[in-house]
Amino acid sequence: AQSVAQPEDQVNVAEGNPLTVKCTYSVSGNPYLFWYVQYPNRGLQFLLKYITGDNLVKGSYGFEAEFNKSQTSFHLKKPSALVSDSALYFCAALSSNTGKLIFGQGTTLQVKP
Amino acid sequence: NAGVTQTPKFQVLKTGQSMTLQCAQDMNHEYMSWYRQDPGMGLRLIHYSVGAGITDQGEVPNGYNVSRSTTEDFPLRLLSAAPSQTSVYFCASSAGGAQGYTFGSGTRLTVV
């Protein structure tokens, strides 16, 4: 079965420190990979995606993500966290064969002042 | 350009009632999907469609029906609501390929 895993339910960082939110995937072929963010009582907002090419992709609000094919990982990073980054983050993989977008279980990011 | 529109935003049903969650998009996207979001479980795919007249099951299809008679609309039907269907439901659409999905604002459903 195809799946996306986010091993941490919650990540806590201090404002100004770097942050990493982890994601691994098990999807056949060469999936497209995405990160979305969800603020309380809101829908999902697109952050960034990996399609092909450079393993480091840059997205909205200063976020970036590192793709590692051998480890089937797509970790979300930011060099300096802000309190306003506190939200629920979802990693997702899009199967190029089926068009299905599969999500991880989500990671709550808490940035403390 | 409204994007993906879901109605209603909130709904309370009694066990056994039926209802339809509406989803419409104005971006001429071929791909549309329905997800449910439950705490600690992320978003789980209920049904999806790759074009008008074509639908398929996702991870958790039981208790839900869909149809896709037009490109714009993808309604989700609950035939006989159960408390286990209490959740937040999201509809999403995509042009396909690497475009990714655009999400609606969600419907919060409570079944009592």
Side-chain angles (χ1 to χ4, degrees), chain A residues 34 36 38 41 49 51 90 94 99-101 103 105, chain B residues 35 37 42-43 48 57 90 97-98 100-101 103 108:
Chain A
F34 299 83
Y36 287 86
Q38 184 181 38
N41 300 314
K49 65 181 178 183
I51 306 303
F90 288 101
L94 178 64
K100 289 183 183 180
L101 184 66
F103 283 85
Q105 63 268 48
Chain B
Y35 294 87
Q37 182 179 14
L43 277 78
Y48 74 110
Q57 297 181 349
F90 287 100
Y101 278 77
F103 283 79
R108 186 174 295 274

mmCIF file with all atom_site columns, all heavy atoms in Angstrom, chain A residues 34 36 38 41 49 51 90 94 99-101 103 105, chain B residues 35 37 42-43 48 57 90 97-98 100-101 103 108:
data_model
loop_
_atom_site.group_PDB
_atom_site.id
_atom_site.type_symbol
_atom_site.label_atom_id
_atom_site.label_alt_id
_atom_site.label_comp_id
_atom_site.label_asym_id
_atom_site.label_entity_id
_atom_site.label_seq_id
_atom_site.pdbx_PDB_ins_code
_atom_site.Cartn_x
_atom_site.Cartn_y
_atom_site.Cartn_z
_atom_site.occupancy
_atom_site.B_iso_or_equiv
_atom_site.pdbx_formal_charge
_atom_site.auth_seq_id
_atom_site.auth_comp_id
_atom_site.auth_asym_id
_atom_site.auth_atom_id
_atom_site.pdbx_PDB_model_num
ATOM 1   N N   . PHE A 1 34  ? 4.661   17.199 -1.908  1.00 0.00 ? 34  PHE A N   1
ATOM 2   C CA  . PHE A 1 34  ? 4.113   18.498 -1.528  1.00 0.00 ? 34  PHE A CA  1
ATOM 3   C C   . PHE A 1 34  ? 4.162   18.687 -0.016  1.00 0.00 ? 34  PHE A C   1
ATOM 4   O O   . PHE A 1 34  ? 4.129   17.726 0.753   1.00 0.00 ? 34  PHE A O   1
ATOM 5   C CB  . PHE A 1 34  ? 2.640   18.607 -1.956  1.00 0.00 ? 34  PHE A CB  1
ATOM 6   C CG  . PHE A 1 34  ? 2.412   18.482 -3.437  1.00 0.00 ? 34  PHE A CG  1
ATOM 7   C CD1 . PHE A 1 34  ? 2.332   17.239 -4.035  1.00 0.00 ? 34  PHE A CD1 1
ATOM 8   C CD2 . PHE A 1 34  ? 2.274   19.609 -4.219  1.00 0.00 ? 34  PHE A CD2 1
ATOM 9   C CE1 . PHE A 1 34  ? 2.127   17.110 -5.395  1.00 0.00 ? 34  PHE A CE1 1
ATOM 10  C CE2 . PHE A 1 34  ? 2.062   19.501 -5.592  1.00 0.00 ? 34  PHE A CE2 1
ATOM 11  C CZ  . PHE A 1 34  ? 1.989   18.250 -6.165  1.00 0.00 ? 34  PHE A CZ  1
ATOM 12  N N   . TYR A 1 36  ? 1.874   21.116 2.677   1.00 0.00 ? 36  TYR A N   1
ATOM 13  C CA  . TYR A 1 36  ? 0.769   22.040 2.892   1.00 0.00 ? 36  TYR A CA  1
ATOM 14  C C   . TYR A 1 36  ? 0.782   22.471 4.360   1.00 0.00 ? 36  TYR A C   1
ATOM 15  O O   . TYR A 1 36  ? 1.240   21.743 5.237   1.00 0.00 ? 36  TYR A O   1
ATOM 16  C CB  . TYR A 1 36  ? -0.575  21.365 2.606   1.00 0.00 ? 36  TYR A CB  1
ATOM 17  C CG  . TYR A 1 36  ? -0.868  21.118 1.151   1.00 0.00 ? 36  TYR A CG  1
ATOM 18  C CD1 . TYR A 1 36  ? -0.418  19.966 0.518   1.00 0.00 ? 36  TYR A CD1 1
ATOM 19  C CD2 . TYR A 1 36  ? -1.617  22.031 0.411   1.00 0.00 ? 36  TYR A CD2 1
ATOM 20  C CE1 . TYR A 1 36  ? -0.707  19.729 -0.815  1.00 0.00 ? 36  TYR A CE1 1
ATOM 21  C CE2 . TYR A 1 36  ? -1.911  21.792 -0.923  1.00 0.00 ? 36  TYR A CE2 1
ATOM 22  C CZ  . TYR A 1 36  ? -1.450  20.642 -1.523  1.00 0.00 ? 36  TYR A CZ  1
ATOM 23  O OH  . TYR A 1 36  ? -1.747  20.412 -2.843  1.00 0.00 ? 36  TYR A OH  1
ATOM 24  N N   . GLN A 1 38  ? -1.797  24.162 7.503   1.00 0.00 ? 38  GLN A N   1
ATOM 25  C CA  . GLN A 1 38  ? -3.175  24.431 7.898   1.00 0.00 ? 38  GLN A CA  1
ATOM 26  C C   . GLN A 1 38  ? -3.179  25.222 9.207   1.00 0.00 ? 38  GLN A C   1
ATOM 27  O O   . GLN A 1 38  ? -2.659  24.752 10.219  1.00 0.00 ? 38  GLN A O   1
ATOM 28  C CB  . GLN A 1 38  ? -3.960  23.131 8.067   1.00 0.00 ? 38  GLN A CB  1
ATOM 29  C CG  . GLN A 1 38  ? -5.436  23.353 8.383   1.00 0.00 ? 38  GLN A CG  1
ATOM 30  C CD  . GLN A 1 38  ? -6.181  22.047 8.569   1.00 0.00 ? 38  GLN A CD  1
ATOM 31  O OE1 . GLN A 1 38  ? -5.670  21.094 9.129   1.00 0.00 ? 38  GLN A OE1 1
ATOM 32  N NE2 . GLN A 1 38  ? -7.418  21.998 8.087   1.00 0.00 ? 38  GLN A NE2 1
ATOM 33  N N   . ASN A 1 41  ? -8.890  26.097 12.055  1.00 0.00 ? 41  ASN A N   1
ATOM 34  C CA  . ASN A 1 41  ? -10.205 26.329 11.437  1.00 0.00 ? 41  ASN A CA  1
ATOM 35  C C   . ASN A 1 41  ? -10.098 26.886 10.014  1.00 0.00 ? 41  ASN A C   1
ATOM 36  O O   . ASN A 1 41  ? -10.980 27.623 9.562   1.00 0.00 ? 41  ASN A O   1
ATOM 37  C CB  . ASN A 1 41  ? -11.043 27.275 12.300  1.00 0.00 ? 41  ASN A CB  1
ATOM 38  C CG  . ASN A 1 41  ? -11.276 26.706 13.681  1.00 0.00 ? 41  ASN A CG  1
ATOM 39  O OD1 . ASN A 1 41  ? -11.624 25.544 13.838  1.00 0.00 ? 41  ASN A OD1 1
ATOM 40  N ND2 . ASN A 1 41  ? -11.032 27.515 14.706  1.00 0.00 ? 41  ASN A ND2 1
ATOM 41  N N   . LYS A 1 49  ? 6.547   22.334 -3.540  1.00 0.00 ? 49  LYS A N   1
ATOM 42  C CA  . LYS A 1 49  ? 6.460   21.012 -4.161  1.00 0.00 ? 49  LYS A CA  1
ATOM 43  C C   . LYS A 1 49  ? 7.796   20.641 -4.793  1.00 0.00 ? 49  LYS A C   1
ATOM 44  O O   . LYS A 1 49  ? 8.593   21.507 -5.180  1.00 0.00 ? 49  LYS A O   1
ATOM 45  C CB  . LYS A 1 49  ? 5.358   20.984 -5.224  1.00 0.00 ? 49  LYS A CB  1
ATOM 46  C CG  . LYS A 1 49  ? 5.614   21.891 -6.418  1.00 0.00 ? 49  LYS A CG  1
ATOM 47  C CD  . LYS A 1 49  ? 4.449   21.813 -7.407  1.00 0.00 ? 49  LYS A CD  1
ATOM 48  C CE  . LYS A 1 49  ? 4.674   22.771 -8.582  1.00 0.00 ? 49  LYS A CE  1
ATOM 49  N NZ  . LYS A 1 49  ? 3.510   22.746 -9.521  1.00 0.00 ? 49  LYS A NZ  1
ATOM 50  N N   . ILE A 1 51  ? 9.114   18.340 -7.974  1.00 0.00 ? 51  ILE A N   1
ATOM 51  C CA  . ILE A 1 51  ? 8.722   17.605 -9.173  1.00 0.00 ? 51  ILE A CA  1
ATOM 52  C C   . ILE A 1 51  ? 9.924   16.831 -9.709  1.00 0.00 ? 51  ILE A C   1
ATOM 53  O O   . ILE A 1 51  ? 9.885   15.617 -9.858  1.00 0.00 ? 51  ILE A O   1
ATOM 54  C CB  . ILE A 1 51  ? 8.171   18.548 -10.257 1.00 0.00 ? 51  ILE A CB  1
ATOM 55  C CG1 . ILE A 1 51  ? 7.033   19.408 -9.683  1.00 0.00 ? 51  ILE A CG1 1
ATOM 56  C CG2 . ILE A 1 51  ? 7.715   17.770 -11.477 1.00 0.00 ? 51  ILE A CG2 1
ATOM 57  C CD1 . ILE A 1 51  ? 5.895   18.607 -9.110  1.00 0.00 ? 51  ILE A CD1 1
ATOM 58  N N   . PHE A 1 90  ? 1.317   19.331 6.706   1.00 0.00 ? 90  PHE A N   1
ATOM 59  C CA  . PHE A 1 90  ? 1.063   18.050 6.071   1.00 0.00 ? 90  PHE A CA  1
ATOM 60  C C   . PHE A 1 90  ? 1.998   17.835 4.893   1.00 0.00 ? 90  PHE A C   1
ATOM 61  O O   . PHE A 1 90  ? 2.147   18.720 4.038   1.00 0.00 ? 90  PHE A O   1
ATOM 62  C CB  . PHE A 1 90  ? -0.372  17.981 5.533   1.00 0.00 ? 90  PHE A CB  1
ATOM 63  C CG  . PHE A 1 90  ? -1.423  17.862 6.599   1.00 0.00 ? 90  PHE A CG  1
ATOM 64  C CD1 . PHE A 1 90  ? -2.144  18.968 6.980   1.00 0.00 ? 90  PHE A CD1 1
ATOM 65  C CD2 . PHE A 1 90  ? -1.682  16.643 7.188   1.00 0.00 ? 90  PHE A CD2 1
ATOM 66  C CE1 . PHE A 1 90  ? -3.122  18.870 7.955   1.00 0.00 ? 90  PHE A CE1 1
ATOM 67  C CE2 . PHE A 1 90  ? -2.654  16.537 8.164   1.00 0.00 ? 90  PHE A CE2 1
ATOM 68  C CZ  . PHE A 1 90  ? -3.379  17.652 8.550   1.00 0.00 ? 90  PHE A CZ  1
ATOM 69  N N   . LEU A 1 94  ? 1.854   12.710 -4.582  1.00 0.00 ? 94  LEU A N   1
ATOM 70  C CA  . LEU A 1 94  ? 0.925   12.562 -5.700  1.00 0.00 ? 94  LEU A CA  1
ATOM 71  C C   . LEU A 1 94  ? 1.469   11.499 -6.639  1.00 0.00 ? 94  LEU A C   1
ATOM 72  O O   . LEU A 1 94  ? 2.551   11.642 -7.195  1.00 0.00 ? 94  LEU A O   1
ATOM 73  C CB  . LEU A 1 94  ? 0.782   13.890 -6.434  1.00 0.00 ? 94  LEU A CB  1
ATOM 74  C CG  . LEU A 1 94  ? -0.112  13.909 -7.662  1.00 0.00 ? 94  LEU A CG  1
ATOM 75  C CD1 . LEU A 1 94  ? -1.548  13.613 -7.293  1.00 0.00 ? 94  LEU A CD1 1
ATOM 76  C CD2 . LEU A 1 94  ? -0.015  15.258 -8.370  1.00 0.00 ? 94  LEU A CD2 1
ATOM 77  N N   . GLY A 1 99  ? -2.996  9.793  -10.092 1.00 0.00 ? 99  GLY A N   1
ATOM 78  C CA  . GLY A 1 99  ? -3.493  11.131 -9.791  1.00 0.00 ? 99  GLY A CA  1
ATOM 79  C C   . GLY A 1 99  ? -3.976  11.280 -8.358  1.00 0.00 ? 99  GLY A C   1
ATOM 80  O O   . GLY A 1 99  ? -4.507  12.322 -7.981  1.00 0.00 ? 99  GLY A O   1
ATOM 81  N N   . LYS A 1 100 ? -3.811  10.230 -7.537  1.00 0.00 ? 100 LYS A N   1
ATOM 82  C CA  . LYS A 1 100 ? -4.226  10.304 -6.137  1.00 0.00 ? 100 LYS A CA  1
ATOM 83  C C   . LYS A 1 100 ? -3.188  11.071 -5.323  1.00 0.00 ? 100 LYS A C   1
ATOM 84  O O   . LYS A 1 100 ? -1.985  10.828 -5.433  1.00 0.00 ? 100 LYS A O   1
ATOM 85  C CB  . LYS A 1 100 ? -4.348  8.905  -5.539  1.00 0.00 ? 100 LYS A CB  1
ATOM 86  C CG  . LYS A 1 100 ? -5.504  8.077  -6.039  1.00 0.00 ? 100 LYS A CG  1
ATOM 87  C CD  . LYS A 1 100 ? -5.532  6.748  -5.287  1.00 0.00 ? 100 LYS A CD  1
ATOM 88  C CE  . LYS A 1 100 ? -6.611  5.827  -5.781  1.00 0.00 ? 100 LYS A CE  1
ATOM 89  N NZ  . LYS A 1 100 ? -6.643  4.545  -5.057  1.00 0.00 ? 100 LYS A NZ  1
ATOM 90  N N   . LEU A 1 101 ? -3.678  11.956 -4.457  1.00 0.00 ? 101 LEU A N   1
ATOM 91  C CA  . LEU A 1 101 ? -2.816  12.683 -3.531  1.00 0.00 ? 101 LEU A CA  1
ATOM 92  C C   . LEU A 1 101 ? -2.996  12.069 -2.147  1.00 0.00 ? 101 LEU A C   1
ATOM 93  O O   . LEU A 1 101 ? -4.089  12.088 -1.592  1.00 0.00 ? 101 LEU A O   1
ATOM 94  C CB  . LEU A 1 101 ? -3.189  14.158 -3.517  1.00 0.00 ? 101 LEU A CB  1
ATOM 95  C CG  . LEU A 1 101 ? -2.312  15.079 -2.674  1.00 0.00 ? 101 LEU A CG  1
ATOM 96  C CD1 . LEU A 1 101 ? -0.898  15.154 -3.239  1.00 0.00 ? 101 LEU A CD1 1
ATOM 97  C CD2 . LEU A 1 101 ? -2.924  16.476 -2.587  1.00 0.00 ? 101 LEU A CD2 1
ATOM 98  N N   . PHE A 1 103 ? -1.833  11.787 1.903   1.00 0.00 ? 103 PHE A N   1
ATOM 99  C CA  . PHE A 1 103 ? -1.289  12.639 2.950   1.00 0.00 ? 103 PHE A CA  1
ATOM 100 C C   . PHE A 1 103 ? -0.675  11.844 4.096   1.00 0.00 ? 103 PHE A C   1
ATOM 101 O O   . PHE A 1 103 ? -1.102  10.727 4.404   1.00 0.00 ? 103 PHE A O   1
ATOM 102 C CB  . PHE A 1 103 ? -2.396  13.518 3.535   1.00 0.00 ? 103 PHE A CB  1
ATOM 103 C CG  . PHE A 1 103 ? -2.763  14.679 2.672   1.00 0.00 ? 103 PHE A CG  1
ATOM 104 C CD1 . PHE A 1 103 ? -3.682  14.526 1.650   1.00 0.00 ? 103 PHE A CD1 1
ATOM 105 C CD2 . PHE A 1 103 ? -2.194  15.916 2.873   1.00 0.00 ? 103 PHE A CD2 1
ATOM 106 C CE1 . PHE A 1 103 ? -4.023  15.600 0.842   1.00 0.00 ? 103 PHE A CE1 1
ATOM 107 C CE2 . PHE A 1 103 ? -2.525  16.994 2.069   1.00 0.00 ? 103 PHE A CE2 1
ATOM 108 C CZ  . PHE A 1 103 ? -3.439  16.822 1.052   1.00 0.00 ? 103 PHE A CZ  1
ATOM 109 N N   . GLN A 1 105 ? 0.024   12.030 8.338   1.00 0.00 ? 105 GLN A N   1
ATOM 110 C CA  . GLN A 1 105 ? -0.932  12.282 9.418   1.00 0.00 ? 105 GLN A CA  1
ATOM 111 C C   . GLN A 1 105 ? -0.822  13.678 10.012  1.00 0.00 ? 105 GLN A C   1
ATOM 112 O O   . GLN A 1 105 ? -1.646  14.083 10.816  1.00 0.00 ? 105 GLN A O   1
ATOM 113 C CB  . GLN A 1 105 ? -0.777  11.237 10.535  1.00 0.00 ? 105 GLN A CB  1
ATOM 114 C CG  . GLN A 1 105 ? 0.577   11.256 11.222  1.00 0.00 ? 105 GLN A CG  1
ATOM 115 C CD  . GLN A 1 105 ? 1.562   10.292 10.571  1.00 0.00 ? 105 GLN A CD  1
ATOM 116 O OE1 . GLN A 1 105 ? 1.728   10.261 9.352   1.00 0.00 ? 105 GLN A OE1 1
ATOM 117 N NE2 . GLN A 1 105 ? 2.243   9.516  11.407  1.00 0.00 ? 105 GLN A NE2 1
ATOM 118 N N   . TYR B 2 35  ? -11.743 14.410 0.840   1.00 0.00 ? 35  TYR B N   1
ATOM 119 C CA  . TYR B 2 35  ? -10.987 13.909 1.976   1.00 0.00 ? 35  TYR B CA  1
ATOM 120 C C   . TYR B 2 35  ? -11.792 14.155 3.251   1.00 0.00 ? 35  TYR B C   1
ATOM 121 O O   . TYR B 2 35  ? -12.589 15.079 3.336   1.00 0.00 ? 35  TYR B O   1
ATOM 122 C CB  . TYR B 2 35  ? -9.655  14.666 2.120   1.00 0.00 ? 35  TYR B CB  1
ATOM 123 C CG  . TYR B 2 35  ? -8.672  14.445 1.005   1.00 0.00 ? 35  TYR B CG  1
ATOM 124 C CD1 . TYR B 2 35  ? -8.710  15.232 -0.145  1.00 0.00 ? 35  TYR B CD1 1
ATOM 125 C CD2 . TYR B 2 35  ? -7.698  13.464 1.103   1.00 0.00 ? 35  TYR B CD2 1
ATOM 126 C CE1 . TYR B 2 35  ? -7.803  15.039 -1.166  1.00 0.00 ? 35  TYR B CE1 1
ATOM 127 C CE2 . TYR B 2 35  ? -6.777  13.271 0.079   1.00 0.00 ? 35  TYR B CE2 1
ATOM 128 C CZ  . TYR B 2 35  ? -6.851  14.059 -1.041  1.00 0.00 ? 35  TYR B CZ  1
ATOM 129 O OH  . TYR B 2 35  ? -5.945  13.857 -2.054  1.00 0.00 ? 35  TYR B OH  1
ATOM 130 N N   . GLN B 2 37  ? -10.866 14.765 7.422   1.00 0.00 ? 37  GLN B N   1
ATOM 131 C CA  . GLN B 2 37  ? -9.766  15.040 8.341   1.00 0.00 ? 37  GLN B CA  1
ATOM 132 C C   . GLN B 2 37  ? -10.207 14.739 9.754   1.00 0.00 ? 37  GLN B C   1
ATOM 133 O O   . GLN B 2 37  ? -11.175 15.311 10.262  1.00 0.00 ? 37  GLN B O   1
ATOM 134 C CB  . GLN B 2 37  ? -9.315  16.509 8.249   1.00 0.00 ? 37  GLN B CB  1
ATOM 135 C CG  . GLN B 2 37  ? -8.143  16.810 9.160   1.00 0.00 ? 37  GLN B CG  1
ATOM 136 C CD  . GLN B 2 37  ? -7.669  18.236 9.078   1.00 0.00 ? 37  GLN B CD  1
ATOM 137 O OE1 . GLN B 2 37  ? -8.348  19.112 8.543   1.00 0.00 ? 37  GLN B OE1 1
ATOM 138 N NE2 . GLN B 2 37  ? -6.474  18.496 9.585   1.00 0.00 ? 37  GLN B NE2 1
ATOM 139 N N   . GLY B 2 42  ? -4.543  12.703 9.897   1.00 0.00 ? 42  GLY B N   1
ATOM 140 C CA  . GLY B 2 42  ? -4.290  13.424 8.666   1.00 0.00 ? 42  GLY B CA  1
ATOM 141 C C   . GLY B 2 42  ? -5.523  13.521 7.792   1.00 0.00 ? 42  GLY B C   1
ATOM 142 O O   . GLY B 2 42  ? -6.661  13.496 8.284   1.00 0.00 ? 42  GLY B O   1
ATOM 143 N N   . LEU B 2 43  ? -5.318  13.621 6.498   1.00 0.00 ? 43  LEU B N   1
ATOM 144 C CA  . LEU B 2 43  ? -6.417  13.652 5.546   1.00 0.00 ? 43  LEU B CA  1
ATOM 145 C C   . LEU B 2 43  ? -6.469  12.295 4.841   1.00 0.00 ? 43  LEU B C   1
ATOM 146 O O   . LEU B 2 43  ? -5.470  11.841 4.283   1.00 0.00 ? 43  LEU B O   1
ATOM 147 C CB  . LEU B 2 43  ? -6.213  14.758 4.503   1.00 0.00 ? 43  LEU B CB  1
ATOM 148 C CG  . LEU B 2 43  ? -6.648  16.156 4.927   1.00 0.00 ? 43  LEU B CG  1
ATOM 149 C CD1 . LEU B 2 43  ? -5.620  16.783 5.851   1.00 0.00 ? 43  LEU B CD1 1
ATOM 150 C CD2 . LEU B 2 43  ? -6.882  17.037 3.713   1.00 0.00 ? 43  LEU B CD2 1
ATOM 151 N N   . TYR B 2 48  ? -12.275 9.893  -5.457  1.00 0.00 ? 48  TYR B N   1
ATOM 152 C CA  . TYR B 2 48  ? -11.693 10.877 -6.337  1.00 0.00 ? 48  TYR B CA  1
ATOM 153 C C   . TYR B 2 48  ? -12.166 10.647 -7.765  1.00 0.00 ? 48  TYR B C   1
ATOM 154 O O   . TYR B 2 48  ? -12.759 9.608  -8.072  1.00 0.00 ? 48  TYR B O   1
ATOM 155 C CB  . TYR B 2 48  ? -10.171 10.882 -6.245  1.00 0.00 ? 48  TYR B CB  1
ATOM 156 C CG  . TYR B 2 48  ? -9.475  9.726  -6.907  1.00 0.00 ? 48  TYR B CG  1
ATOM 157 C CD1 . TYR B 2 48  ? -8.735  9.908  -8.061  1.00 0.00 ? 48  TYR B CD1 1
ATOM 158 C CD2 . TYR B 2 48  ? -9.525  8.442  -6.364  1.00 0.00 ? 48  TYR B CD2 1
ATOM 159 C CE1 . TYR B 2 48  ? -8.081  8.866  -8.665  1.00 0.00 ? 48  TYR B CE1 1
ATOM 160 C CE2 . TYR B 2 48  ? -8.876  7.394  -6.961  1.00 0.00 ? 48  TYR B CE2 1
ATOM 161 C CZ  . TYR B 2 48  ? -8.148  7.608  -8.107  1.00 0.00 ? 48  TYR B CZ  1
ATOM 162 O OH  . TYR B 2 48  ? -7.503  6.565  -8.711  1.00 0.00 ? 48  TYR B OH  1
ATOM 163 N N   . GLN B 2 57  ? -12.650 4.800  -5.878  1.00 0.00 ? 57  GLN B N   1
ATOM 164 C CA  . GLN B 2 57  ? -12.594 4.820  -4.428  1.00 0.00 ? 57  GLN B CA  1
ATOM 165 C C   . GLN B 2 57  ? -11.208 5.196  -3.932  1.00 0.00 ? 57  GLN B C   1
ATOM 166 O O   . GLN B 2 57  ? -10.193 4.864  -4.551  1.00 0.00 ? 57  GLN B O   1
ATOM 167 C CB  . GLN B 2 57  ? -12.991 3.453  -3.879  1.00 0.00 ? 57  GLN B CB  1
ATOM 168 C CG  . GLN B 2 57  ? -14.416 3.068  -4.199  1.00 0.00 ? 57  GLN B CG  1
ATOM 169 C CD  . GLN B 2 57  ? -14.780 1.715  -3.619  1.00 0.00 ? 57  GLN B CD  1
ATOM 170 O OE1 . GLN B 2 57  ? -13.919 0.977  -3.142  1.00 0.00 ? 57  GLN B OE1 1
ATOM 171 N NE2 . GLN B 2 57  ? -16.050 1.378  -3.648  1.00 0.00 ? 57  GLN B NE2 1
ATOM 172 N N   . PHE B 2 90  ? -12.990 17.892 3.250   1.00 0.00 ? 90  PHE B N   1
ATOM 173 C CA  . PHE B 2 90  ? -12.376 18.816 2.303   1.00 0.00 ? 90  PHE B CA  1
ATOM 174 C C   . PHE B 2 90  ? -12.511 18.283 0.891   1.00 0.00 ? 90  PHE B C   1
ATOM 175 O O   . PHE B 2 90  ? -12.276 17.107 0.631   1.00 0.00 ? 90  PHE B O   1
ATOM 176 C CB  . PHE B 2 90  ? -10.892 19.022 2.608   1.00 0.00 ? 90  PHE B CB  1
ATOM 177 C CG  . PHE B 2 90  ? -10.633 19.846 3.827   1.00 0.00 ? 90  PHE B CG  1
ATOM 178 C CD1 . PHE B 2 90  ? -10.316 19.249 5.025   1.00 0.00 ? 90  PHE B CD1 1
ATOM 179 C CD2 . PHE B 2 90  ? -10.710 21.229 3.773   1.00 0.00 ? 90  PHE B CD2 1
ATOM 180 C CE1 . PHE B 2 90  ? -10.076 20.013 6.166   1.00 0.00 ? 90  PHE B CE1 1
ATOM 181 C CE2 . PHE B 2 90  ? -10.472 22.007 4.900   1.00 0.00 ? 90  PHE B CE2 1
ATOM 182 C CZ  . PHE B 2 90  ? -10.165 21.391 6.094   1.00 0.00 ? 90  PHE B CZ  1
ATOM 183 N N   . GLY B 2 97  ? -1.228  16.220 -13.374 1.00 0.00 ? 97  GLY B N   1
ATOM 184 C CA  . GLY B 2 97  ? 0.220   16.276 -13.483 1.00 0.00 ? 97  GLY B CA  1
ATOM 185 C C   . GLY B 2 97  ? 0.830   16.793 -12.206 1.00 0.00 ? 97  GLY B C   1
ATOM 186 O O   . GLY B 2 97  ? 0.434   16.420 -11.111 1.00 0.00 ? 97  GLY B O   1
ATOM 187 N N   . ALA B 2 98  ? 1.770   17.705 -12.332 1.00 0.00 ? 98  ALA B N   1
ATOM 188 C CA  . ALA B 2 98  ? 2.489   18.215 -11.178 1.00 0.00 ? 98  ALA B CA  1
ATOM 189 C C   . ALA B 2 98  ? 1.863   19.472 -10.592 1.00 0.00 ? 98  ALA B C   1
ATOM 190 O O   . ALA B 2 98  ? 2.479   20.148 -9.772  1.00 0.00 ? 98  ALA B O   1
ATOM 191 C CB  . ALA B 2 98  ? 3.933   18.514 -11.587 1.00 0.00 ? 98  ALA B CB  1
ATOM 192 N N   . GLY B 2 100 ? -0.563  19.878 -8.497  1.00 0.00 ? 100 GLY B N   1
ATOM 193 C CA  . GLY B 2 100 ? -1.020  19.857 -7.122  1.00 0.00 ? 100 GLY B CA  1
ATOM 194 C C   . GLY B 2 100 ? -2.498  20.200 -7.027  1.00 0.00 ? 100 GLY B C   1
ATOM 195 O O   . GLY B 2 100 ? -3.154  20.510 -8.029  1.00 0.00 ? 100 GLY B O   1
ATOM 196 N N   . TYR B 2 101 ? -3.013  20.122 -5.834  1.00 0.00 ? 101 TYR B N   1
ATOM 197 C CA  . TYR B 2 101 ? -4.429  20.321 -5.606  1.00 0.00 ? 101 TYR B CA  1
ATOM 198 C C   . TYR B 2 101 ? -4.706  21.636 -4.885  1.00 0.00 ? 101 TYR B C   1
ATOM 199 O O   . TYR B 2 101 ? -3.931  22.066 -4.033  1.00 0.00 ? 101 TYR B O   1
ATOM 200 C CB  . TYR B 2 101 ? -4.988  19.173 -4.761  1.00 0.00 ? 101 TYR B CB  1
ATOM 201 C CG  . TYR B 2 101 ? -5.317  17.925 -5.549  1.00 0.00 ? 101 TYR B CG  1
ATOM 202 C CD1 . TYR B 2 101 ? -4.311  17.061 -5.979  1.00 0.00 ? 101 TYR B CD1 1
ATOM 203 C CD2 . TYR B 2 101 ? -6.630  17.615 -5.878  1.00 0.00 ? 101 TYR B CD2 1
ATOM 204 C CE1 . TYR B 2 101 ? -4.618  15.923 -6.706  1.00 0.00 ? 101 TYR B CE1 1
ATOM 205 C CE2 . TYR B 2 101 ? -6.942  16.467 -6.599  1.00 0.00 ? 101 TYR B CE2 1
ATOM 206 C CZ  . TYR B 2 101 ? -5.933  15.627 -7.013  1.00 0.00 ? 101 TYR B CZ  1
ATOM 207 O OH  . TYR B 2 101 ? -6.244  14.502 -7.740  1.00 0.00 ? 101 TYR B OH  1
ATOM 208 N N   . PHE B 2 103 ? -7.519  23.382 -2.403  1.00 0.00 ? 103 PHE B N   1
ATOM 209 C CA  . PHE B 2 103 ? -8.500  22.883 -1.459  1.00 0.00 ? 103 PHE B CA  1
ATOM 210 C C   . PHE B 2 103 ? -9.587  23.913 -1.175  1.00 0.00 ? 103 PHE B C   1
ATOM 211 O O   . PHE B 2 103 ? -9.337  25.125 -1.160  1.00 0.00 ? 103 PHE B O   1
ATOM 212 C CB  . PHE B 2 103 ? -7.812  22.512 -0.144  1.00 0.00 ? 103 PHE B CB  1
ATOM 213 C CG  . PHE B 2 103 ? -7.091  21.217 -0.207  1.00 0.00 ? 103 PHE B CG  1
ATOM 214 C CD1 . PHE B 2 103 ? -5.839  21.130 -0.801  1.00 0.00 ? 103 PHE B CD1 1
ATOM 215 C CD2 . PHE B 2 103 ? -7.673  20.067 0.289   1.00 0.00 ? 103 PHE B CD2 1
ATOM 216 C CE1 . PHE B 2 103 ? -5.181  19.918 -0.895  1.00 0.00 ? 103 PHE B CE1 1
ATOM 217 C CE2 . PHE B 2 103 ? -7.016  18.845 0.206   1.00 0.00 ? 103 PHE B CE2 1
ATOM 218 C CZ  . PHE B 2 103 ? -5.770  18.774 -0.390  1.00 0.00 ? 103 PHE B CZ  1
ATOM 219 N N   . ARG B 2 108 ? -17.628 21.175 8.211   1.00 0.00 ? 108 ARG B N   1
ATOM 220 C CA  . ARG B 2 108 ? -17.557 20.501 9.506   1.00 0.00 ? 108 ARG B CA  1
ATOM 221 C C   . ARG B 2 108 ? -18.878 19.812 9.757   1.00 0.00 ? 108 ARG B C   1
ATOM 222 O O   . ARG B 2 108 ? -19.903 20.466 9.912   1.00 0.00 ? 108 ARG B O   1
ATOM 223 C CB  . ARG B 2 108 ? -17.238 21.492 10.616  1.00 0.00 ? 108 ARG B CB  1
ATOM 224 C CG  . ARG B 2 108 ? -17.005 20.856 11.981  1.00 0.00 ? 108 ARG B CG  1
ATOM 225 C CD  . ARG B 2 108 ? -16.556 21.892 13.002  1.00 0.00 ? 108 ARG B CD  1
ATOM 226 N NE  . ARG B 2 108 ? -15.268 22.459 12.677  1.00 0.00 ? 108 ARG B NE  1
ATOM 227 C CZ  . ARG B 2 108 ? -14.103 21.942 13.025  1.00 0.00 ? 108 ARG B CZ  1
ATOM 228 N NH1 . ARG B 2 108 ? -14.076 20.826 13.741  1.00 0.00 ? 108 ARG B NH1 1
ATOM 229 N NH2 . ARG B 2 108 ? -12.973 22.533 12.696  1.00 0.00 ? 108 ARG B NH2 1
#
